Amino acid sequence: MRYDEFRDRWQGALRTARLLYHHDRPEETIDLTTMARRWRVRPLPRPAEPFHAGAMISFRWDPFDSARAYTCEEDLLTELLGRRTGRSTQRRLLRVDITLHATLPYGATTPMPAPGVWVPWVASVEGRLDSALTARRRRKGAEPLWRGDLEISGRTASNGAFSLHGMSVPAYEMIVVPRIWDDPRRREREASAAKQIDGLAGRFRGALDAWTASVSELVRWLRHPPGPPRAPSRRRRREPFPDDGDVGPETTH
């Protein structure tokens, strides 16, 4: 699979997952020193007033990937070892990154939420992202994947108070790119990357949905912070007709 083939297949999967639309313009660059290619796209941010929640999706195509895409593995071994051998080669792994982010408008900040709001929210968003990105059945030889910690950006005032401007969470997953074999039997055994590409695009969509919902939830908590749990009332139940010492009307005989 060459760069153009992978790029078109990946963009098609993102469109199916509704992460890429006709008005989105992916950026493609080439490093003239290393000849490495870089592809990235920023889907339109989603409103979570006052934050703007969104993501950046990218991958890097090394010159080694290009070299392996324009020759078979047997010829590659001949070039490296000087002879044609029956040895196998390492799998072609391509890293696809996603960075989820939420920022306030330019120059705007907000005080850091109280620990009673911030700590449970961070635990909640990490749990949701784990479910969306990394909750896959662990099996031998599974492709590497990773989710980073929540990162924040802001401004520190002269009195030491920190104001929040934005948040982000990085993550990535490796995709197995099919190798090109001269041996027909090895060529038939080489699995297609289509299923993994489609699955990763769907997981990225689920992660963006979970992230947007979490940011909206944080905004509600900032406006209406949850109060401390109410202790059970210890007041005695008031009788409908309390005994105030009146024994009732006098009776005559």
Side-chain angles (χ1 to χ4, degrees), residues 8 40 59-61 77 114 118 147 156 159 161 192 214:
D8 295 343
R40 64 182 178 182
F59 67 85
R60 185 174 183 269
W61 191 273
L77 289 172
W118 182 251
R147 178 193 61 81
T156 303
N159 60 359
S192 171
S214 295

Side-chain angles (χ1 to χ4, degrees), residues 34-193:
T34 64
M35 299 306 295
R37 295 174 179 239
R38 182 81 174 183
W39 180 98
R40 64 182 178 182
V41 67
R42 294 181 176 87
L44 283 178
R46 302 181 177 189
E49 298 295 341
F51 289 94
H52 293 281
M56 185 178 72
I57 303 170
S58 64
F59 67 85
R60 185 174 183 269
W61 191 273
D62 290 327
F64 303 104
D65 294 311
S66 297
R68 293 181 75 175
Y70 280 88
T71 186
C72 63
E73 297 294 297
E74 292 91 344
D75 288 348
L76 176 65
L77 289 172
T78 301
E79 292 292 332
L80 295 176
L81 303 178
R83 65 184 185 277
R84 197 179 182 97
T85 68
R87 297 179 182 178
S88 183
T89 58
Q90 294 289 336
R91 297 184 303 169
R92 290 179 61 189
L93 294 176
L94 181 68
R95 171 174 157 174
V96 182
D97 296 88
I98 182 172
T99 301
L100 303 164
H101 56 78
T103 57
L104 292 170
Y106 178 77
T109 59
T110 184
M112 279 296 296
V117 171
W118 182 251
V119 174
W121 181 80
V122 171
S124 172
V125 70
E126 288 183 345
R128 289 179 179 178
L129 293 181
D130 282 341
S131 299
L133 292 172
T134 63
R136 295 192 294 137
R137 185 178 62 185
R138 297 295 177 179
R139 64 185 188 277
K140 185 178 180 180
E143 296 74 31
L145 49 81
W146 172 82
R147 178 193 61 81
D149 296 327
L150 179 74
E151 301 173 2
I152 61 175
S153 61
R155 184 183 306 148
T156 303
S158 57
N159 60 359
F162 181 80
S163 298
L164 179 69
H165 172 68
M167 307 167 288
S168 63
V169 178
Y172 73 76
E173 184 173 330
M174 308 296 284
I175 289 182
V176 180
V177 181
R179 292 167 290 186
I180 302 174
W181 293 100
D182 189 33
D183 186 346
R185 292 173 298 178
R186 284 183 167 179
R187 196 183 312 134
E188 291 176 359
R189 291 197 299 264
E190 197 71 22
S192 171

Side-chain angles (χ1 to χ4, degrees), residues 24-35:
D24 293 325
R25 293 291 181 268
E27 303 174 17
E28 295 183 79
T29 59
I30 300 179
D31 190 317
L32 297 180
T33 302
T34 64
M35 299 306 295

